[in-house]
């Protein structure tokens, strides 16, 4: 009923009388009042005037089904939206929903994460209200060996979403960090449940710094936000919806080809440090070389000083000029 009241208030320019709400939804005045109070607690500004009724003055920028759902334009990516104000990690909740059978395209969002995770066991600090924290559930019809490419597809979608909603020309630090002006603005954590020959599900966890005006000292040199880059507040729901729209488009190309061949040209145009010096921390040791962009399998090609070419499938790659690598 709360959702129906909200929809009616959204559709109505002026006031809706309390009596109208009672009649339409066949509920008591107290029930209407309680629903209005709940909406106010969720951040909706509702004006109540005696003898006139209720009027919706503003909606919160929260990644809820009510606010984000209507902005999702594609067929499946971000349908449905599953919002939780506070969660350990949206990836954890997405895994739980996936193992319970939720559909391909389900998007889990949160306002705050109490145990946000980054790649390689790092922590993703996730305070309330400033960022997008979201995890997309996918059920790819591809072998497990192809799954790592999904993360590159997601990086392209984030780059497109940031461009569309904030005019930011982000660059991708292989495989999937988004950087602008040498600072990180978004990170992606991909996790998978699979057997040797089949994927059960993949979770793409995306964190985007949106509203921060500054970062704590230890992050200040290497992190930035859309607000800091544009000098303007940016709507989180619009960002999340634009990323989903782009993801659906890119993912369908990736799925059609079964690899990055339809996307690698664009990916390489957005690749940070393309043609420049990189340092690779490979399981067998560290080496330097020149970045030649990704191949159709999504591996980073690196030309070594001895003239040999490596195709890096995993590992840490430092790009000259980023995150303190000079
Ligand atoms: C990284 O750059 O190390 C990856 C960061 C990924 C953060 C996102 S926020 C939403 C999702 N939930 C998590 O716990 N992590 C990812």
């Amino acid at each position: 009923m709360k959702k129906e009241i909200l929809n009616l208030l959204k559709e109505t320019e002026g006031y809706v009388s309390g009596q109208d709400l009672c009649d339409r939804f066949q509920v008591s005045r107290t029930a209407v009042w309680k629903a209005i109070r709940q909406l106010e607690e969720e951040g909706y500004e509702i004006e109540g005037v005696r003898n006139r009724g209720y009027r919706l003055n503003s909606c919160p920028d929260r990644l809820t089904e009510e606010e984000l759902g209507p902005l999702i334009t594609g067929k499946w990516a971000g349908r449905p939206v599953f919002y939780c104000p506070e969660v350990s990690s949206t990836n954890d909740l997405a895994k739980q929903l996936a193992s319970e059978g939720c559909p391909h395209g389900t998007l889990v969002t949160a306002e705050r994460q109490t145990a946000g995770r980054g790649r390689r066991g790092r922590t993703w600090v996730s305070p309330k209200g400033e960022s997008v924290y979201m995890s997309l559930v996918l059920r790819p019809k591809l072998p497990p060996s192809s799954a790592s490419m999904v993360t590159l597809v997601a990086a392209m979608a984030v780059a497109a979403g940031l461009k569309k909603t904030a005019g930011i020309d982000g660059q991708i630090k292989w495989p999937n960090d988004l950087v602008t002006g040498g600072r990180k603005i978004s990170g992606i954590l991909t996790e998978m449940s699979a057997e040797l020959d089949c994927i059960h599900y993949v979770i793409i966890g995306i964190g985007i710094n949106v509203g921060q005006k500054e970062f704590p000292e230890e992050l200040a040199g290497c992190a930035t936000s859309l607000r800091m880059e544009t000098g303007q507040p940016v709507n989180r729901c619009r960002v999340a919806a634009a990323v989903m729209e782009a993801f659906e488009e890119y993912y369908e190309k990736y799925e059609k080809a079964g690899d990055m061949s339809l996307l690698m040209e664009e990916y390489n145009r957005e690749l940070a440090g393309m043609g420049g010096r990189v340092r690779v921390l490979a399981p067998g040791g560290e080496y330097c070389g020149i970045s030649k962009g990704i191949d159709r399998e999504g591996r980073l090609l690196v030309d070594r000083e001895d003239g040999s070419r490596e195709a890096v499938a995993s590992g840490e790659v430092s790009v000259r000029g980023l995150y303190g690598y000079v």
Side-chain angles (χ1 to χ4, degrees):
M1 200 255 306
K2 188 182 77 183
K3 197 172 168 185
E4 283 80 21
I5 290 184
L6 176 62
N7 286 340
L8 186 62
L9 290 174
K10 277 186 173 176
E11 283 161 16
T12 314
E13 258 190 32
Y15 292 85
V16 181
S17 80
Q19 193 56 50
D20 270 1
L21 291 171
C22 296
D23 294 346
R24 193 184 276 242
F25 302 116
Q26 295 291 300
V27 290
S28 67
R29 284 251 175 192
T30 316
V32 167
W33 182 80
K34 275 193 186 151
I36 297 282
R37 284 302 302 271
Q38 275 176 20
L39 288 168
E40 284 175 337
E41 272 161 27
E42 288 169 21
Y44 293 90
E45 280 182 26
I46 300 170
E47 192 184 323
V49 176
R50 193 182 276 274
N51 295 328
R52 292 184 83 181
Y54 299 102
R55 184 174 70 176
L56 181 63
N57 284 343
S58 74
C59 299
D61 177 21
R62 291 206 188 155
L63 301 164
T64 55
E65 226 243 294
E66 289 79 8
E67 293 306 306
L68 175 56
L71 302 184
I72 300 281
T73 52
K75 292 188 293 292
W76 54 267
R79 292 178 189 274
V81 172
F82 193 100
Y83 170 76
C84 198
E86 181 177 303
V87 72
S88 56
S89 151
T90 51
N91 271 29
D92 294 344
L93 182 52
K95 275 186 208 167
Q96 185 193 321
L97 297 176
S99 60
E100 288 166 5
C102 75
H104 173 76
T106 300
L107 183 68
V108 177
T109 58
E111 208 58 35
R112 171 170 185 252
Q113 301 186 116
T114 52
R117 289 182 280 116
R119 293 175 70 225
R120 304 183 171 272
R122 296 182 194 119
T123 299
W124 187 258
V125 183
S126 308
K128 192 176 162 188
E130 309 283 21
S131 296
V132 168
Y133 310 119
M134 61 183 181
S135 298
L136 183 64
V137 177
L138 300 173
R139 300 187 183 278
K141 296 179 215 88
L142 292 165
S145 55
S146 301
S148 63
M149 285 178 257
V150 181
T151 211
L152 279 67
V153 174
M156 294 179 75
V158 175
L162 301 191
K163 174 85 180 161
K164 181 174 176 189
T165 52
I168 299 273
D169 277 315
Q171 285 192 303
I172 303 169
K173 179 184 167 291
W174 186 87
N176 56 10
D177 274 5
L178 254 289
V179 293
T180 181
R183 294 193 165 98
K184 180 159 166 170
I185 199 156
S186 169
I188 299 171
L189 174 67
T190 301
E191 296 178 295
M192 169 168 78
S193 160
E195 286 171 44
L196 274 180
D197 58 349
C198 99
I199 298 177
H200 299 150
Y201 58 79
V202 170
I203 307 293
I204 310 276
I206 303 176
I208 306 173
N209 302 330
V210 179
Q212 290 89 340
K213 292 188 185 138
E214 57 184 10
F215 283 91
E217 206 181 317
E218 64 279 13
L219 292 176
C222 56
T224 189
S225 72
L226 292 179
R227 166 126 207 180
M228 287 160 70
E229 293 301 311
T230 60
Q232 313 268 346
V234 178
N235 183 281
R236 288 184 300 160
C237 284
R238 289 191 54 232
V239 173
V243 172
M244 286 301 109
E245 186 185 339
F247 184 85
E248 186 166 315
E249 207 176 290
Y250 288 131
Y251 184 84
E252 287 180 357
K253 287 189 182 164
Y254 153 74
E255 207 175 32
K256 185 172 164 200
D259 62 27
M260 293 297 285
S261 48
L262 300 174
L263 299 172
M264 55 193 267
E265 216 179 287
E266 185 174 337
Y267 185 97
N268 285 335
R269 274 201 303 275
E270 292 169 346
L271 183 64
M274 176 74 171
R277 195 173 164 79
V278 290
R279 188 171 62 202
V280 181
L281 282 171
E286 187 181 312
Y287 60 89
C288 290
I290 300 297
S291 164
K292 293 291 177 183
I294 60 163
D295 64 7
R296 57 199 301 156
E297 306 292 319
R299 297 172 302 186
L300 186 70
L301 302 174
V302 178
D303 284 354
R304 295 180 70 160
E305 278 141 13
D306 64 6
S308 64
R309 173 166 280 192
E310 301 281 347
V312 185
S314 65
E316 218 29 25
V317 173
S318 303
V319 175
R320 182 170 259 183
L322 289 183
Y323 310 166
Y325 174 41
V326 282

